[in-house]
């Protein structure tokens, strides 16, 4: 049965979608069967993997457990349930359903035996779609940008995690905090990294994702960093992260 991981931070621009795409492909390169669930109506993960023409999406997957919403990507061992702008109004609709909390969990139960990892990309907010993702997940990866406001909103994030753990998903855990956009030449990056390590004692990944222009460029070409520039620092970092997640040294 798949291990379900949600990449989540309510702050935007912290490397959430970049991590979903490249961690997932890194796991696939390690011969793991991976399914990405794009729960974000902005659909950046879907476009970043160059999936443009599809008849079914996450809305269909949630409402009818429609397996046709699972698409193969161009990469071996990597599949995707896409999102789109039409999904933006789904929160209002789901709010009328008294059992909305478990929609994603129930849909995943139908198919997760077919995968080793399910990676969920959810919106940068604390709304219904994010809550649904946290309820369905085993663990959370929290990407944190190495900049001044890195820890802003973290207490609210922890409150949300505790709320979900206490009421819906008692096994929910923080799988790891991921330092992103790290610049070793910048004293601020080093200071933020130390502060994050103090706050999340024992929960910070050893792998640090550097600030890397190749990582920023890859999505515009609809490819992962491994396809765009496999020798870049970004590619090496995300493969290292995938190995850390799997437990391979």
């Amino acid at each position: 049965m798949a291990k379900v991981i949600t990449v989540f931070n309510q702050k935007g621009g912290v490397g959430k979608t970049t991590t979903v795409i490249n961690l997932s492909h890194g796991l696939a390169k390690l011969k793991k069967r991976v399914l990405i669930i794009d729960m974000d109506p902005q659909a950046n993960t879907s476009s970043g993997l160059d999936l443009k023409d599809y008849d079914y999406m996450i809305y269909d997957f949630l409402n009818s457990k429609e397996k046709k919403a699972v698409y193969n990507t161009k990469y071996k061992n990597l599949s995707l349930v896409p999102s789109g702008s039409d999904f933006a109004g789904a929160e209002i609709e789901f709010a009328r359903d008294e059992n909305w909390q478990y929609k994603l969990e129930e849909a995943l139960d139908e198919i997760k035996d077919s995968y080793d990892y399910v990676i969920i990309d959810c919106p940068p907010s604390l709304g219904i779609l994010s809550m649904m993702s946290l309820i369905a997940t085993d663990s959370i990866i929290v990407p944190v940008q190495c900049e001044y406001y890195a820890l802003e909103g973290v207490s609210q994030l922890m409150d949300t995690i505790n709320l979900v753990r206490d009421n819906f998903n008692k096994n929910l855990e923080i799988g790891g905090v991921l330092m992103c956009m790290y610049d070793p030449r910048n004293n601020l990056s080093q200071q933020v990294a130390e502060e994050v390590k103090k706050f999340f004692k024992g929960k910070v990944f050893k792998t640090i994702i550097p600030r890397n222009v190749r990582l920023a460029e890859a999505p515009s070409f609809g490819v992962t960093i491994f396809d765009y520039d496999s020798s870049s620092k970004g590619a090496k970092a995300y493969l290292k992260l995938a190995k850390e997640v799997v437990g391979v040294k």
Side-chain angles (χ1 to χ4, degrees):
M1 184 178 291
K3 181 175 178 62
V4 183
I5 299 172
T6 293
V7 180
F8 178 64
N9 192 326
Q10 78 271 25
K11 285 173 64 67
V14 297
K16 178 175 61 69
T17 298
T18 298
T19 295
V20 168
I21 291 173
N22 295 302
L23 169 60
S24 297
H25 192 196
L27 291 168
K29 289 174 72 67
L30 295 176
K31 298 185 165 79
K32 302 300 180 182
R33 300 165 300 165
V34 183
L35 173 64
I36 298 174
I37 304 290
D38 192 352
M39 286 287 284
D40 189 345
Q42 295 179 79
N44 290 332
T45 292
S46 302
S47 62
L49 287 168
D50 201 32
L51 193 67
K52 298 172 181 174
D53 298 319
Y54 43 89
D55 296 320
Y56 300 93
M57 55 178 278
I58 184 63
Y59 179 86
D60 306 291
F61 185 70
L62 292 172
N63 278 299
S64 59
K65 305 177 180 63
E66 182 56 75
K67 294 180 182 179
K68 291 179 181 178
V70 178
Y71 291 87
N72 294 325
T73 68
K74 65 181 79 173
Y75 303 112
K76 185 178 180 181
N77 297 324
L78 184 57
S79 300
L80 168 70
V81 175
S83 187
S85 57
D86 292 346
F87 192 47
E91 284 192 297
I92 297 172
E93 178 181 331
F94 291 145
R96 300 190 188 105
D97 187 333
E98 62 181 26
N99 292 313
W100 63 264
Q101 299 97 326
Y102 303 103
K103 273 187 171 292
L104 179 56
E105 183 179 36
E106 291 170 355
L108 285 177
D109 283 342
E110 298 285 319
I111 64 166
K112 66 182 184 181
D113 283 347
S114 301
Y115 300 93
D116 298 305
Y117 289 91
V118 174
I119 309 294
I120 303 173
D121 186 10
C122 54
S125 67
L126 296 174
I128 282 177
L129 300 180
S130 293
M131 287 285 287
M132 203 182 292
S133 302
L134 296 178
I135 290 166
T137 201
D138 297 313
S139 66
I140 307 165
I141 290 177
V142 183
V144 175
Q145 189 176 2
C146 294
E147 294 195 353
Y148 183 72
Y149 292 109
L151 291 174
E152 185 182 65
V154 166
S155 60
Q156 189 178 9
L157 171 66
M158 296 306 299
D159 288 344
T160 301
I161 292 171
N162 290 329
L163 173 69
V164 173
R165 185 185 290 135
D166 293 342
N167 294 280
F168 304 106
N169 182 357
K170 65 180 181 180
N171 297 316
L172 180 64
E173 63 177 12
I174 295 179
V177 177
L178 180 65
M179 303 301 302
C180 295
M181 305 178 197
Y182 181 82
D183 185 348
R185 301 166 300 179
N186 187 328
N187 287 335
L188 180 60
S189 281
Q190 297 176 34
Q191 291 168 9
V192 169
E194 289 305 313
E195 286 298 313
V196 171
K197 287 176 183 176
K198 288 178 185 176
F199 190 90
F200 292 99
K201 293 178 181 177
K203 289 290 186 179
V204 180
F205 283 108
K206 294 178 181 178
T207 302
I208 294 177
I209 307 302
R211 185 174 290 280
N212 180 238
V213 68
R214 309 301 272 174
L215 279 172
E217 292 171 349
S220 64
F221 292 91
V223 297
T224 73
I225 189 60
F226 302 105
D227 207 359
Y228 188 63
D229 188 349
S230 61
S231 64
S232 67
K233 291 181 180 179
K236 292 175 182 177
Y238 273 110
L239 185 58
K240 183 179 178 183
L241 176 64
K243 290 178 179 178
E244 192 171 352
V245 168
V246 172
V248 175
K249 294 184 179 179

